[in-house]
Amino acid sequence: MSRAVCDRVASLAKVMGGAALVCAMLAVTTPRAHAEEARTWRHALSLIGEPAMGPGFTRFDWVNPDAPKAGHIRMQSIGSFDSLNSFSIKGEVATGMGLIYDSLMIESPDEASTEYGLIAEAVSHPADFSSVTFRLNPAARFHDGKPVTVADVIFSLEKVKEINPSYAAYYKNVVAAEESGPNEVTFRFDVKGNRELPQIMGQLVVLPKHFWTGTAADGTQRDLARSSLEIPLGSGPYRVKEIKPGRSITFERVADYWAKDLPVSIGQWNFAEVSFEFFRDETIAFEAFKAGQTDFHQETSSKNWATGYDFAAAKDGRILRQAFEEIRVARMQGFVLNLRRPQFQDARVRQAFNLAFDFEWSNKNLFHGLYRRVNSYFENSELAARGLPEGRELAFLEEVRTEVPPEVFTTPYANPINDEPSRLRENLRAASQLLKDAGYVAKGGKLVHGESGLALKAEFVLVQPLFERIVLPYIKNLTRLGIDASVRVIDSAQYQRRVETFDYDIVVAGFAQSESPGNEQREFWGTEAAGKDGSRNLIGIRNPAIDKLIDRVIFATNREDLVAATRALDRVLLWNHYLVPQWYNPEVWIARWDIFSYPEKRPSRAISVLRTWWYDAAKAAAIGRTRQ
């Protein structure tokens, strides 16, 4: 029996002075009630040690509590948008929609895998991680003034699982959501020992049930599964002020934001307005930034970073360039080879594609030597496989020995190196032999499979024209091998549709990782996700050994086992040659008009511009860009 039921029974017994006795009897005779009475409430959760900020903290130490709440920051976004519904798999969603929503808990950009209560003022879970309970803050409100309720929380989980395969996979282990007390919601899991599940539920964005079950201004029934340009209702620090479909979206700070005085919000969300201007590609976006049409530019081109700032505003200091270092797992970025295509089902073909990619030439001639080759799915962290497997990692791999490439046990993985022309020739010869072993023969200068008669073709599908300069030299090497390779650049809407339906041979993609991997690994590499449109298993991996190793990661009972299981997973992914690893940047390159300030102590794991920076009126006046 829930505490809520106990309270109701107690109120009836109160007239006889027996309320305490009734509840005591219920607690003894009802196991669930007893468990709920014994809950230990926490203000935060961490997968790595204890949260840095203890109970009763007043604010984070990486904010300026006196930051002015003013000004307008104009950001950039590449592509377009035709929807404001960020939960549907349909449509192209406008950048920044996360600003209007609050979740049960909020991540700390200064700590690894740590969340603090937001809509949930407290959280509790049993020692076996079989469930998690959140106690909602009674002050939590949506922008229309209505309170955030347990019904909203339950609706949010059930609806996003119903309409979106990514959410269905992420919340797969959640089998029940129920009101377990006054302003309390409990999620029950179908497994025990998954340490990440309470934090996964803390990330749940809470949607207003009354809004999404209601009707729009034109009388039509709202549907969370559909794309829509109707401005949605949220509870976060910003609301949508204005949209120009496909061109721009502007958010305004909510002056009476319900959480503005909470310790997790003080000194944050300081801009009065935040705009995102949309551009077709990076080149046009950069020209707009130079012309003062936007204020902030995150540089993704090494060539531009090295040579593109030779103009007046950058020379005289009105525009500043800064390279920020962050403590983070470098994401695996690569040329994704779609295993749903028959030509990529043979690992030897996939390995040949990696041998043909000359990273060293690209880094020297295109990237000004600023990038590093990525050699792991968890690069720049203790999670990356190194040397030969041993200890717990080896034990996990022994469980799948017959299902993984033998090199997993005998050879440390390393990408091919082309540091001089002779090495490239050697790698291309090795690639040619692999393709021959895979059954391909040369006919008229092209490779054709000896049995099927199908030519070895590969089309690179790109959304960024800037990437052509990288792909074209790569295609030249592939052509030398007899591979019929080509490139196609399409607009962002077409690209999104093709990616969601896996309609491509090769795309460029990145897989961002945290310092505590977990359930998202199923979505990246799991068999079930491979068959669901809109999932993040872009490669199309269906590998029982990888599924088993993912479970080892998810159900690791301590940090040692988590690291060992992740290294084992990393090693198997690498030796299956599922993609051609590209590179990573150890820094984040930012260019900005000098009208902003940020705290002396910054969050260590993210720049957090919209969360911690502020508009500096004095600086803006000094360079003639005052904009309140």
Side-chain angles (χ1 to χ4, degrees), residues 66-89:
D66 301 316
K69 306 290 187 183
H72 184 182
I73 183 171
R74 298 175 301 175
M75 310 285 280
Q76 299 177 340
S77 186
I78 305 303
S80 183
F81 73 93
D82 59 12
S83 178
L84 302 183
N85 179 3
S86 50
F87 302 93
S88 171
I89 64 172

Side-chain angles (χ1 to χ4, degrees), residues 89-101:
I89 64 172
K90 300 176 181 179
E92 194 169 4
V93 182
T95 306
M97 289 305 297
L99 293 170
I100 77 168
Y101 296 110

